[in-house]
């Protein structure tokens, strides 16, 4: 009986101690996920804005002369260096880039051939000293790399000469000729404002008569050009990067 009372008393004491012990226990810690840093968004090169630049390279014109407009008198290439400048504006929408550009170049394209008319001891010579382009552009940009095509109007100023191989006498005439231009280029942005590129253009010039102030009948000259230039542009864009 005594032992039963001791056991009972022990159970009652333990039951009273359990709530107090549980009350002294600290609540378990609550773990939360650490804040994640904001994702880094890469800057995208923007080709929009006005630009001004210079170019230089090499060109060659194919000149075919017909005496009196009907009798073939030979052909020659007129090749040489060129240097000039360009000004334009571009708009970018997504990865598509639109633009307009005006270009003016000094040129030194010259060449000649002996006349194929059997009764004439003459040399036909062509020298192109300037050309200009007004073109529209459409391109595709991959960040700071732009690939584009262009097309529009071309104008070229040339001097045509007929020279006697016997007397060394010659006659000249100047001619301004209009035509069309197509081309393509690759441009790379080096900084938000500076870019460099390489461009090829083909100029289809109008066929036309060339008259001299002497007894010669007019010549008919067919002419076109191939021009390859390296370019440097500076773009006036207050915000040159998109996010």
């Amino acid at each position: 009986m005594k032992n039963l009372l001791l056991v009972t008393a022990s159970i009652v004491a333990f039951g009273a101690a359990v709530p107090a012990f549980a009350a002294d226990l600290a609540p378990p810690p609550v773990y939360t996920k650490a804040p994640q840093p904001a994702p880094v968004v890469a800057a995208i090169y923007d080709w929009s804005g006005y630009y001004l630049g210079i170019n230089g390279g090499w060109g060659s014109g194919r000149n075919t002369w017909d005496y009196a407009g009907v009798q073939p008198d030979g052909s020659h290439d007129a090749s040489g260096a060129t240097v000039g400048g360009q000004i334009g504006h571009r708009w970018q929408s997504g990865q598509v880039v639109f633009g307009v550009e005006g270009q003016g170049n000094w040129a030194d394209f010259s060449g000649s051939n002996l006349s194929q008319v059997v009764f004439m001891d003459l040399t036909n010579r062509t020298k192109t000293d300037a050309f200009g382009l007004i073109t529209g552009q459409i391109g595709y940009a991959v960040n700071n790399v732009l690939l584009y095509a262009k097309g529009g109007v071309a104008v070229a100023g040339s001097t045509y000469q007929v020279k006697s191989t016997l007397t060394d006498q010659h006659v000249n005439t100047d001619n301004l000729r209009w035509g069309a231009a197509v081309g393509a280029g690759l441009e790379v942005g080096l900084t938000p404002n500076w870019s460099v590129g390489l461009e090829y253009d083909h100029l289809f010039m109008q066929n036309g008569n060339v008259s001299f102030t002497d007894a010669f009948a007019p010549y008919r000259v067919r002419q076109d050009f191939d021009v390859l230039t390296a370019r440097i542009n500076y773009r006036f864009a207050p915000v040159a990067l998109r996010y």
Side-chain angles (χ1 to χ4, degrees):
M1 185 67 176
K2 183 178 180 180
N3 290 337
L4 179 60
L5 292 175
L6 290 174
V7 170
T8 303
S10 299
I11 293 174
V12 171
F14 179 78
V18 167
F21 178 77
D24 292 337
L25 291 177
V30 178
Y31 296 96
T32 60
K33 188 177 181 180
Q36 299 297 313
V40 177
V41 180
I44 302 174
Y45 199 88
D46 194 339
W47 290 93
S48 301
Y50 290 95
Y51 63 91
L52 180 68
I54 59 174
N55 69 79
W58 186 262
S60 181
R62 181 68 174 172
N63 303 273
T64 301
W65 289 48
D66 296 328
Y67 181 68
V70 293
Q71 185 172 359
D73 200 27
S75 301
H76 57 265
D77 292 330
S79 303
T82 181
V83 64
Q86 63 272 352
I87 184 171
H89 187 271
R90 286 176 174 144
W91 303 264
Q92 183 165 351
S93 176
Q95 290 181 283
V96 180
V97 180
F98 304 92
V100 292
E101 182 182 275
Q103 176 180 338
N105 275 51
W106 165 87
D108 187 24
F109 306 159
S110 61
S112 62
N113 68 272
L114 292 175
S115 172
Q116 294 182 4
V117 180
V118 295
F119 59 87
M120 292 184 176
D121 296 312
L122 301 175
T123 297
N124 304 327
R125 183 176 182 83
T126 306
K127 184 179 187 304
T128 299
D129 53 20
F131 68 90
L133 306 174
I134 302 174
T135 55
Q137 298 180 358
I138 183 169
Y140 185 81
V142 181
N143 203 357
N144 67 324
V145 178
L146 174 65
L147 181 65
Y148 62 90
K150 61 189 294 186
V153 178
V155 60
S158 300
T159 298
Y160 304 95
Q161 180 188 89
V162 176
K163 180 179 179 180
S164 170
T165 58
L166 298 178
T167 65
D168 206 33
Q169 293 181 339
H170 63 270
V171 289
N172 294 341
T173 187
D174 295 326
N175 183 275
L176 189 66
R177 191 168 294 193
W178 291 86
V182 295
L186 176 67
E187 197 164 336
V188 178
L190 301 179
T191 73
N193 298 100
W194 287 98
S195 60
V196 297
L198 191 67
E199 183 176 294
Y200 164 78
D201 296 296
H202 184 81
L203 283 57
F204 305 87
M205 309 312 296
Q206 264 182 329
N207 298 335
N209 292 331
V210 177
S211 299
F212 297 93
T213 56
D214 60 7
F216 291 125
Y219 287 82
R220 186 165 184 81
V221 179
R222 289 168 284 158
Q223 190 175 46
D224 61 84
F225 297 94
D226 293 294
V227 182
L228 183 65
T229 54
R231 297 155 60 95
I232 301 175
N233 286 328
Y234 179 84
R235 187 172 62 263
F236 300 92
V239 180
L241 296 176
R242 296 183 291 112
Y243 292 88

